[in-house]
mmCIF file of all heavy atoms in Angstrom:
data_model
loop_
_atom_site.group_PDB
_atom_site.id
_atom_site.type_symbol
_atom_site.label_atom_id
_atom_site.label_comp_id
_atom_site.label_asym_id
_atom_site.label_seq_id
_atom_site.Cartn_x
_atom_site.Cartn_y
_atom_site.Cartn_z
ATOM 1 N N VAL A 1 53.398 57.644 120.588
ATOM 2 C CA VAL A 1 53.148 58.547 121.674
ATOM 3 C C VAL A 1 53.427 57.962 123.080
ATOM 4 O O VAL A 1 52.929 56.845 123.192
ATOM 5 C CB VAL A 1 51.716 59.247 121.541
ATOM 6 C CG1 VAL A 1 51.472 59.978 122.841
ATOM 7 C CG2 VAL A 1 51.625 60.040 120.249
ATOM 8 N N ASN A 2 54.108 58.602 123.865
ATOM 9 C CA ASN A 2 54.422 58.302 125.295
ATOM 10 C C ASN A 2 55.530 57.151 125.404
ATOM 11 O O ASN A 2 55.659 56.601 126.610
ATOM 12 C CB ASN A 2 53.184 57.809 126.090
ATOM 13 C CG ASN A 2 52.098 58.938 126.373
ATOM 14 O OD1 ASN A 2 52.641 60.093 126.368
ATOM 15 N ND2 ASN A 2 50.888 58.767 126.263
ATOM 16 N N GLU A 3 56.171 56.903 124.353
ATOM 17 C CA GLU A 3 57.315 55.946 124.430
ATOM 18 C C GLU A 3 58.506 56.746 124.881
ATOM 19 O O GLU A 3 58.593 57.999 124.826
ATOM 20 C CB GLU A 3 57.566 55.267 123.141
ATOM 21 C CG GLU A 3 56.634 54.096 122.947
ATOM 22 C CD GLU A 3 57.139 53.258 121.720
ATOM 23 O OE1 GLU A 3 57.787 53.707 120.749
ATOM 24 O OE2 GLU A 3 56.695 52.079 121.730
ATOM 25 N N ILE A 4 59.541 55.984 125.213
ATOM 26 C CA ILE A 4 60.793 56.561 125.690
ATOM 27 C C ILE A 4 61.945 56.409 124.628
ATOM 28 O O ILE A 4 61.983 55.325 124.000
ATOM 29 C CB ILE A 4 61.197 55.921 126.995
ATOM 30 C CG1 ILE A 4 60.165 56.222 128.180
ATOM 31 C CG2 ILE A 4 62.674 56.300 127.422
ATOM 32 C CD1 ILE A 4 60.495 55.355 129.379
ATOM 33 N N VAL A 5 62.676 57.454 124.516
ATOM 34 C CA VAL A 5 63.934 57.380 123.541
ATOM 35 C C VAL A 5 65.077 57.277 124.520
ATOM 36 O O VAL A 5 65.423 58.222 125.303
ATOM 37 C CB VAL A 5 64.066 58.548 122.695
ATOM 38 C CG1 VAL A 5 65.285 58.477 121.875
ATOM 39 C CG2 VAL A 5 62.770 58.663 121.809
ATOM 40 N N ASN A 6 65.746 56.269 124.529
ATOM 41 C CA ASN A 6 66.965 56.028 125.365
ATOM 42 C C ASN A 6 68.152 56.423 124.495
ATOM 43 O O ASN A 6 68.365 55.882 123.465
ATOM 44 C CB ASN A 6 67.150 54.576 125.802
ATOM 45 C CG ASN A 6 66.108 54.132 126.743
ATOM 46 O OD1 ASN A 6 66.155 54.669 127.891
ATOM 47 N ND2 ASN A 6 65.280 53.311 126.530
ATOM 48 N N VAL A 7 69.000 57.293 124.940
ATOM 49 C CA VAL A 7 70.020 57.926 124.197
ATOM 50 C C VAL A 7 71.406 57.473 124.803
ATOM 51 O O VAL A 7 71.489 57.663 126.073
ATOM 52 C CB VAL A 7 69.937 59.463 124.060
ATOM 53 C CG1 VAL A 7 71.116 60.031 123.340
ATOM 54 C CG2 VAL A 7 68.594 59.777 123.394
ATOM 55 N N GLU A 8 72.271 57.070 124.055
ATOM 56 C CA GLU A 8 73.640 56.655 124.571
ATOM 57 C C GLU A 8 74.710 57.418 123.792
ATOM 58 O O GLU A 8 74.426 57.783 122.563
ATOM 59 C CB GLU A 8 73.879 55.305 124.555
ATOM 60 C CG GLU A 8 72.903 54.511 125.497
ATOM 61 C CD GLU A 8 73.124 52.993 125.430
ATOM 62 O OE1 GLU A 8 73.922 52.529 124.528
ATOM 63 O OE2 GLU A 8 72.750 52.277 126.512
ATOM 64 N N ALA A 9 75.827 57.781 124.325
ATOM 65 C CA ALA A 9 76.898 58.343 123.506
ATOM 66 C C ALA A 9 78.198 58.056 124.307
ATOM 67 O O ALA A 9 78.325 57.933 125.495
ATOM 68 C CB ALA A 9 76.640 59.813 123.526
ATOM 69 N N PHE A 10 79.285 58.087 123.578
ATOM 70 C CA PHE A 10 80.703 58.079 124.171
ATOM 71 C C PHE A 10 81.085 59.580 124.374
ATOM 72 O O PHE A 10 81.110 60.313 123.306
ATOM 73 C CB PHE A 10 81.674 57.417 123.129
ATOM 74 C CG PHE A 10 81.316 55.933 123.032
ATOM 75 C CD1 PHE A 10 82.225 55.222 122.042
ATOM 76 C CD2 PHE A 10 80.417 55.286 123.600
ATOM 77 C CE1 PHE A 10 81.980 53.780 121.879
ATOM 78 C CE2 PHE A 10 80.216 53.847 123.385
ATOM 79 C CZ PHE A 10 80.986 53.191 122.464
ATOM 80 N N ILE A 11 81.465 59.957 125.507
ATOM 81 C CA ILE A 11 81.731 61.308 125.816
ATOM 82 C C ILE A 11 83.109 61.365 126.559
ATOM 83 O O ILE A 11 83.193 60.596 127.615
ATOM 84 C CB ILE A 11 80.642 62.011 126.634
ATOM 85 C CG1 ILE A 11 79.279 62.060 125.788
ATOM 86 C CG2 ILE A 11 81.026 63.459 126.980
ATOM 87 C CD1 ILE A 11 78.172 62.582 126.534
ATOM 88 N N MET A 12 84.000 62.209 126.130
ATOM 89 C CA MET A 12 85.360 62.105 126.716
ATOM 90 C C MET A 12 85.937 63.500 126.588
ATOM 91 O O MET A 12 85.719 64.190 125.670
ATOM 92 C CB MET A 12 86.227 61.059 126.239
ATOM 93 C CG MET A 12 86.498 61.063 124.793
ATOM 94 S SD MET A 12 86.824 59.648 123.869
ATOM 95 C CE MET A 12 85.257 59.000 123.701
ATOM 96 N N ALA A 13 87.102 63.706 127.328
ATOM 97 C CA ALA A 13 87.927 64.900 127.191
ATOM 98 C C ALA A 13 89.266 64.482 127.661
ATOM 99 O O ALA A 13 89.513 63.545 128.376
ATOM 100 C CB ALA A 13 87.387 66.064 128.155
ATOM 101 N N ASP A 14 90.269 65.376 127.389
ATOM 102 C CA ASP A 14 91.620 65.112 127.717
ATOM 103 C C ASP A 14 91.606 65.303 129.096
ATOM 104 O O ASP A 14 90.962 66.033 129.917
ATOM 105 C CB ASP A 14 92.516 66.143 127.052
ATOM 106 C CG ASP A 14 92.058 67.557 127.308
ATOM 107 O OD1 ASP A 14 91.072 67.991 126.640
ATOM 108 O OD2 ASP A 14 92.648 68.191 128.016
ATOM 109 N N GLY A 15 92.669 64.601 129.803
ATOM 110 C CA GLY A 15 92.916 64.683 131.259
ATOM 111 C C GLY A 15 91.805 63.941 132.054
ATOM 112 O O GLY A 15 91.151 62.986 131.551
ATOM 113 N N HIS A 16 91.504 64.487 133.227
ATOM 114 C CA HIS A 16 90.613 63.716 134.239
ATOM 115 C C HIS A 16 89.487 64.607 134.801
ATOM 116 O O HIS A 16 89.041 64.290 135.871
ATOM 117 C CB HIS A 16 91.460 63.015 135.282
ATOM 118 C CG HIS A 16 92.587 62.169 134.837
ATOM 119 N ND1 HIS A 16 92.274 60.858 134.258
ATOM 120 C CD2 HIS A 16 93.900 62.359 134.710
ATOM 121 C CE1 HIS A 16 93.510 60.379 133.904
ATOM 122 N NE2 HIS A 16 94.448 61.227 134.180
ATOM 123 N N ASP A 17 89.230 65.610 134.037
ATOM 124 C CA ASP A 17 88.306 66.527 134.537
ATOM 125 C C ASP A 17 86.791 65.888 134.614
ATOM 126 O O ASP A 17 86.468 65.064 133.865
ATOM 127 C CB ASP A 17 88.202 67.895 133.632
ATOM 128 C CG ASP A 17 89.365 68.671 133.793
ATOM 129 O OD1 ASP A 17 90.040 68.630 134.865
ATOM 130 O OD2 ASP A 17 89.500 69.561 133.025
ATOM 131 N N VAL A 18 85.974 66.472 135.513
ATOM 132 C CA VAL A 18 84.616 65.961 135.678
ATOM 133 C C VAL A 18 83.828 66.616 134.461
ATOM 134 O O VAL A 18 83.958 67.824 134.092
ATOM 135 C CB VAL A 18 84.009 66.420 136.999
ATOM 136 C CG1 VAL A 18 82.489 66.149 137.163
ATOM 137 C CG2 VAL A 18 84.711 65.831 138.199
ATOM 138 N N LEU A 19 83.096 65.766 133.900
ATOM 139 C CA LEU A 19 82.304 66.173 132.610
ATOM 140 C C LEU A 19 80.807 66.222 133.050
ATOM 141 O O LEU A 19 80.285 65.537 134.013
ATOM 142 C CB LEU A 19 82.413 65.201 131.462
ATOM 143 C CG LEU A 19 83.968 65.018 131.024
ATOM 144 C CD1 LEU A 19 83.964 64.083 129.852
ATOM 145 C CD2 LEU A 19 84.593 66.325 130.817
ATOM 146 N N GLY A 20 80.036 66.955 132.235
ATOM 147 C CA GLY A 20 78.646 66.923 132.399
ATOM 148 C C GLY A 20 78.022 66.731 131.020
ATOM 149 O O GLY A 20 78.668 67.149 130.001
ATOM 150 N N ALA A 21 76.857 66.212 130.888
ATOM 151 C CA ALA A 21 76.197 65.931 129.577
ATOM 152 C C ALA A 21 74.674 65.882 129.680
ATOM 153 O O ALA A 21 74.099 65.574 130.719
ATOM 154 C CB ALA A 21 76.626 64.646 128.992
ATOM 155 N N SER A 22 74.006 66.391 128.570
ATOM 156 C CA SER A 22 72.543 66.416 128.598
ATOM 157 C C SER A 22 72.038 66.023 127.212
ATOM 158 O O SER A 22 72.776 66.163 126.176
ATOM 159 C CB SER A 22 72.070 67.758 128.968
ATOM 160 O OG SER A 22 72.265 68.259 130.160
ATOM 161 N N ILE A 23 70.765 65.571 127.299
ATOM 162 C CA ILE A 23 69.966 65.452 125.901
ATOM 163 C C ILE A 23 69.231 66.701 125.798
ATOM 164 O O ILE A 23 68.456 67.133 126.717
ATOM 165 C CB ILE A 23 69.109 64.238 126.010
ATOM 166 C CG1 ILE A 23 69.994 62.941 126.269
ATOM 167 C CG2 ILE A 23 68.397 64.023 124.588
ATOM 168 C CD1 ILE A 23 69.055 61.796 126.620
ATOM 169 N N LEU A 24 69.320 67.355 124.623
ATOM 170 C CA LEU A 24 68.419 68.391 124.259
ATOM 171 C C LEU A 24 67.422 67.897 123.313
ATOM 172 O O LEU A 24 67.849 67.253 122.363
ATOM 173 C CB LEU A 24 69.214 69.480 123.764
ATOM 174 C CG LEU A 24 70.386 70.116 124.698
ATOM 175 C CD1 LEU A 24 71.104 71.365 123.931
ATOM 176 C CD2 LEU A 24 69.810 70.620 125.951
ATOM 177 N N TYR A 25 66.196 68.080 123.419
ATOM 178 C CA TYR A 25 65.159 67.672 122.604
ATOM 179 C C TYR A 25 63.997 68.661 122.501
ATOM 180 O O TYR A 25 63.697 69.407 123.444
ATOM 181 C CB TYR A 25 64.662 66.371 123.065
ATOM 182 C CG TYR A 25 63.973 66.332 124.430
ATOM 183 C CD1 TYR A 25 62.547 66.404 124.511
ATOM 184 C CD2 TYR A 25 64.697 66.220 125.653
ATOM 185 C CE1 TYR A 25 61.955 66.393 125.774
ATOM 186 C CE2 TYR A 25 64.047 66.312 126.818
ATOM 187 C CZ TYR A 25 62.688 66.278 126.893
ATOM 188 O OH TYR A 25 62.036 66.321 128.097
ATOM 189 N N LYS A 26 63.284 68.584 121.377
ATOM 190 C CA LYS A 26 62.135 69.473 121.166
ATOM 191 C C LYS A 26 61.228 68.914 120.114
ATOM 192 O O LYS A 26 61.704 68.216 119.086
ATOM 193 C CB LYS A 26 62.464 70.867 120.927
ATOM 194 C CG LYS A 26 63.173 71.103 119.578
ATOM 195 C CD LYS A 26 63.437 72.569 119.327
ATOM 196 C CE LYS A 26 64.119 72.817 118.030
ATOM 197 N NZ LYS A 26 64.250 74.228 117.623
#
């Protein structure tokens, strides 16, 4: 209880568009 979960991921798309990302949790 009260610890932190640090989440990492490789996220990419074709081209050079700006991306957005979130962690969803419950």
Side-chain angles (χ1 to χ4, degrees):
V1 172
N2 294 326
E3 280 192 334
I4 295 172
V5 180
N6 290 295
V7 178
E8 297 181 343
F10 295 176
I11 300 174
M12 65 205 75
D14 55 283
H16 304 285
D17 288 342
V18 175
L19 305 183
S22 289
I23 305 166
L24 303 180
Y25 63 97
K26 66 176 180 178

